[in-house]
Amino acid sequence: MALFKRKKDAEEADAMVAASPAGDIDAEEVMRKYDKESNTRIWEGIPKIVVTAVMVLFSVYCLAMTLLSTEQAEARLARFLAFVIVIGYMMYPARKTNHKVNHIPWYDVVLMLAGFGAFMYYAINCTEILLMGARIEPLHVALGIVGILVLVELCRRCVGLPIIIVVGCLVVYAFYWQFTSSSSADLYASVRKIVQKLFYTTSGVIGTPINVCYTYIVLFVIFGAFLERTGISNFFISLANRIAGWSSGGAAKVAVIASALCGMVSGSSVGNTVTTGSVTIPMMKKVGYKPEFAGAVEAASSSGGQIMPPIMGAAAFLMAEYMGIPYLEVATKAIIPALLYFAGIFIAVHLEAKKLGLKGVPKSELPTFGYLAKNCYLVLPLVLLVWLVASGTRTMAASAAISILGAFLVGFVNFLLTNWREREEGATFGAVLAETVKIALFTCADAFAAGAKNTIAVAVACAMAGMIAGCITVTGLASTIINVIVLMAGDFIIIGLVFTMVCCLILGMGVPTTANYCIMASTCAPILMQLGIDPVCAHFFVFYFGIAADITPPVALAAYAASAIAKSRPMATAVNATKLGIAKFVVPYIFAFSPVLLLVGDNVTPVTVVLNTATALVGVFGLQCALTNTLFHRHLNPLFRVVLAVGGLCMMIPGTFTDVVGLAVIVGMCLVQWMLARRDKAKDVEVSADDEPTEAAA
């Protein structure tokens, strides 16, 4: 059913593109169609000012409470979700086609007030309710049910159905378990116990995921909003153009670098695809890449931004909390796998460019080093954040707050310099400064409002992730699933890894990155740890495959968004994106069996790290040659493609024997292909020499 729906959505998007005057497409429309988080109500005039003010106050409240509050956790988190529900129902309509200006239906107001009242009642009476334990009264049960249902409906609007289906199945199973595990259980007793666990304890909606969201993620979402509005995204695109724009097929390489840098900050595969793709996809098509390939490059690169240290779309901070290791360690361990992933895409776009004979952008049209040097101060907030967190002199929240202030100051300087360069003749410095202050304040309010808006979907998904973890904990389902998979895998760990991969791809469909990881860490990582996989490797494994869902058919949201911009066939774009991102499907298996790539284990030395990285890189090269169907500007024989793929996989399997076999195969195939390419070139020369006299005689 989901497949047909996605196909219909993609056809509608293509029709919208075809109908647009210049063949262009409104990025906002694409975001509304493929990104649930962007499917918001339209506010204008006074209502827009009011809604913006509410969201700014929410962001400021989160910032202040995180830094200063010492209140009981349950009260803080319940109040946080109460405000999330208010803003959520103000922003997200029941249907994506319902975009009347300045309109909110009466039933949304009722749902908003009901959900707000349920969570706020718990926040105010937190101590009394906690002392009751499982003896909560009917009023508390009713409020809990209302709060959960209102939250589920908001999740449907801003996140999507997949995660709700998972939650619904687990809640049904929780009731089944409750009835079968107790002979004296009646319906009300079962409802009371489940509601008490899921609503009034830290094993449900206000569990670890929402606590991490409130404590860390909100601040880094706000920080990301400030970075986007200070011009760092444009700087990253200019930097990528200067680095790779001149080379063969440089436009695609620019897309890879820019998407990696921007996606690291934005934390949204679809959002990053549309934001950078609106610039890079037309560039790629202009130089000669096919639409399906251009869209796939952007989708694969954008979905990789969340695995790119140091920010990793705020997931690095979440992983540090779950694994109990310092943030700097997480960011360091993520470097080699991320480089392998982007190296794979880079190799693929280079091979495709050589196959098509594409050229780079003339250097005269590229940003100059002088321009980049003058604007390099834009990355200072990012450097400041990494330095503060790495030094350990400040808490995570304080580091984020200081970095937000730094981003505001850098943005102010950027606006001041821009206004001064573009000032009208005779304008004084005081007038320019006053205009800059006005722009900076409006930008600050816009960043705070955007941070609040971007927080809603993440917070709701984290609350759902808490319910998933709660149902699994209450019923003991986790141990049952683990035992089943361990029994099925037997002595073959690879079977357990494949089952876990499939679970991650299904559970990760359409879920924001940070909430995605919360679900994977609660449900899938324990399976791998039971199989004997190192905890760090297990968490990275599920993190990678959760994100891979964004480019994996049939529900490949990032690929479908890219196809709308590229005016390409959606499914073909998704398949190409999967090919380009093949490293994301292979690298996790490498560090599952060889943790050296994650700098884990007793045998981690500079030599072993370099050796393992080099062999994995050669393996990625072999796989990409096979998938791209080209080497030395020449198509590959089908048999050669299979042999190269096998050689690439051998290089990626840990072990001296497999490395030697893989290297021999890849080197041998390269030599054969090189000789065939030389033979073809010699034939072309002979043909052209034979044609010359004929042409002369003519």
Side-chain angles (χ1 to χ4, degrees):
M1 191 68 173
L3 173 60
F4 295 115
K5 183 179 184 300
R6 293 297 172 198
K7 184 177 180 182
K8 181 182 177 183
D9 284 347
E11 288 171 353
E12 289 175 3
D14 286 343
M16 184 166 59
V17 173
S20 60
D24 295 328
I25 188 166
D26 186 0
E28 187 176 342
E29 287 300 315
V30 178
M31 291 284 284
R32 286 185 186 278
K33 181 168 285 293
Y34 294 106
D35 186 21
K36 283 277 188 179
E37 298 176 56
S38 302
N39 182 39
T40 55
R41 300 185 198 277
I42 299 173
W43 299 101
E44 293 180 356
I46 300 295
K48 182 178 180 180
I49 296 173
V50 173
V51 171
T52 301
V54 170
M55 292 196 292
V56 169
L57 290 174
F58 173 74
S59 291
V60 173
Y61 165 80
C62 291
L63 191 61
M65 291 296 287
T66 303
L67 293 172
L68 306 175
S69 177
T70 57
E71 193 179 15
Q72 193 172 2
E74 287 84 354
R76 284 188 289 112
L77 297 178
R79 191 181 298 110
F80 170 69
L81 282 175
F83 294 144
V84 163
I85 285 173
V86 171
I87 296 177
Y89 278 95
M90 282 197 323
M91 294 302 299
Y92 293 98
R95 296 183 303 277
K96 65 181 179 182
T97 55
N98 187 9
H99 290 300
K100 295 180 181 178
V101 178
N102 296 342
H103 174 73
I104 180 169
W106 64 268
Y107 52 82
D108 277 1
V109 176
V110 171
L111 289 172
M112 178 200 302
L113 294 177
F116 176 80
F119 279 99
M120 192 57 75
Y121 178 87
Y122 178 34
I124 295 171
N125 301 281
C126 175
T127 304
E128 178 186 340
I129 293 173
L130 290 176
L131 290 174
M132 290 181 181
R135 302 185 307 277
I136 54 173
E137 299 172 356
L139 173 63
H140 304 134
V141 175
L143 288 174
I145 293 173
V146 169
I148 289 173
L149 291 178
V150 169
L151 202 58
V152 167
E153 167 58 14
L154 182 55
C155 180
R156 182 192 67 81
R157 298 182 182 198
C158 64
V159 179
L161 284 175
I163 191 172
I164 295 178
I165 293 171
V166 174
V167 171
C169 292
L170 288 173
V171 170
V172 170
Y173 178 78
F175 275 104
Y176 168 78
W177 176 85
Q178 186 68 30
F179 276 112
T180 56
S181 62
S182 175
S183 57
S184 60
D186 57 64
L187 180 60
Y188 174 72
S190 299
V191 170
R192 182 173 66 176
K193 184 171 182 179
I194 291 172
V195 168
Q196 191 262 337
K197 286 288 185 183
L198 297 183
F199 192 81
Y200 293 109
T201 71
T202 53
S203 296
V205 292
I206 57 172
T208 300
I210 201 69
N211 186 30
V212 174
C213 177
Y214 172 79
T215 308
Y216 302 127
I217 295 175
V218 174
L219 299 184
F220 290 104
V221 167
I222 295 172
F223 175 63
F226 269 89
L227 285 182
E228 289 178 5
R229 282 152 183 78
T230 56
I232 194 170
S233 295
N234 292 331
F235 176 79
F236 281 156
I237 293 174
S238 299
L239 177 63
N241 266 294
R242 182 69 260 183
I243 293 172
W246 56 270
S247 62
S248 178
K253 296 171 184 175
V254 168
V256 176
I257 298 172
S259 298
L261 295 173
C262 296
M264 169 184 66
V265 175
S266 73
S268 169
S269 298
V270 177
N272 191 31
T273 297
V274 175
T275 305
T276 58
S278 59
V279 176
T280 59
I281 290 176
M283 284 171 52
M284 287 187 274
K285 291 175 65 179
K286 184 178 179 182
V287 299
Y289 285 106
K290 294 179 180 178
E292 286 79 10
F293 190 83
V297 170
E298 183 56 50
S301 303
S302 294
S303 69
Q306 288 76 57
I307 64 174
M308 187 70 180
I311 304 298
M312 299 168 66
F317 309 100
L318 200 59
M319 295 178 80
E321 181 74 13
Y322 267 99
M323 292 189 286
I325 62 177
Y327 150 78
L328 186 61
E329 242 185 88
V330 174
T332 304
K333 292 178 186 302
I335 292 174
I336 295 175
L339 290 179
L340 288 174
Y341 177 73
F342 284 105
I345 302 177
F346 215 80
I347 290 168
V349 298
H350 180 76
L351 291 171
E352 186 74 12
K354 288 296 185 182
K355 181 171 70 175
L356 299 174
L358 304 181
K359 305 297 182 183
V361 179
K363 290 189 176 181
S364 59
E365 299 178 14
L366 297 175
T368 63
F369 283 113
Y371 167 81
L372 295 174
K374 284 190 297 185
N375 291 276
C376 65
Y377 65 89
L378 291 171
V379 302
L380 286 177
L382 198 57
V383 175
L384 176 64
L385 173 66
V386 174
W387 177 76
L388 286 172
V389 175
S391 65
T393 56
R394 297 285 190 279
T395 64
M396 199 79 76
S399 299
I402 294 171
S403 300
I404 289 171
L405 177 60
F408 172 77
L409 295 176
V410 166
F412 181 83
V413 172
N414 186 35
F415 298 144
L416 180 61
L417 293 176
T418 302
N419 289 341
W420 182 251
R421 285 194 298 267
E422 299 174 358
R423 69 188 184 280
E424 295 180 359
E425 188 176 352
T428 64
F429 179 76
V432 172
L433 181 63
E435 180 66 18
T436 302
V437 170
K438 179 182 175 182
I439 292 173
L441 291 176
F442 274 112
T443 303
C444 180
D446 183 40
F448 272 127
K453 173 178 170 272
N454 295 339
T455 295
I456 302 305
V458 177
V460 172
C462 283
M464 293 297 103
M467 287 184 64
I468 290 173
C471 289
I472 290 174
T473 303
V474 168
T475 60
L477 184 60
S479 59
T480 303
I481 294 174
I482 291 171
N483 291 335
V484 169
I485 292 182
V486 169
L487 184 64
M488 293 176 69
D491 296 328
F492 300 97
I493 295 178
I494 187 69
I495 296 176
L497 291 172
V498 170
F499 278 125
T500 306
M501 175 190 73
V502 173
C503 290
C504 291
L505 291 174
I506 293 172
L507 293 175
M509 294 186 300
V511 181
T513 300
T514 44
N516 185 336
Y517 171 68
C518 288
I519 298 170
M520 305 309 156
S522 303
T523 57
C524 297
I527 297 173
L528 298 183
M529 287 186 274
Q530 188 69 25
L531 290 169
I533 303 295
D534 182 90
V536 172
C537 299
H539 280 269
F540 268 93
F541 186 95
V542 299
F543 178 56
Y544 265 57
F545 279 115
I547 296 173
D550 287 333
I551 58 171
T552 307
V555 187
L557 294 182
Y560 283 123
S563 74
I565 298 174
K567 295 187 286 186
S568 62
R569 292 170 296 158
M571 191 56 67
T573 305
V575 171
N576 275 317
T578 305
K579 289 181 182 179
L580 289 168
I582 191 65
K584 196 179 285 183
F585 296 87
V586 178
V587 169
Y589 285 94
I590 301 176
F591 55 63
F593 289 106
S594 178
V596 173
L597 290 182
L598 289 175
L599 309 180
V600 174
D602 298 329
N603 60 334
V604 176
T605 64
V607 174
T608 56
V609 171
V610 171
L611 189 60
N612 278 268
T613 304
T615 54
L617 191 57
V618 174
V620 169
F621 170 77
L623 278 175
Q624 289 294 10
C625 288
L627 292 172
T628 312
N629 189 23
T630 184
L631 184 59
F632 292 113
H633 309 196
R634 190 179 187 279
H635 286 290
L636 289 163
N637 180 293
L639 178 61
F640 287 4
R641 294 181 69 181
V642 174
V643 173
L644 267 174
V646 171
L649 290 173
C650 284
M651 289 295 292
M652 302 176 95
I653 297 172
T656 305
F657 176 75
T658 53
D659 287 346
V660 171
V661 172
L663 185 62
V665 167
I666 291 175
V667 171
M669 286 295 98
C670 287
L671 286 173
V672 170
Q673 192 72 3
W674 177 70
M675 288 189 291
L676 290 174
R678 288 198 62 180
R679 185 196 66 183
D680 293 344
K681 188 175 181 181
K683 284 184 178 179
D684 292 340
V685 171
E686 289 177 7
V687 170
S688 61
D690 291 340
D691 289 343
E692 280 179 8
T694 307
E695 292 173 2

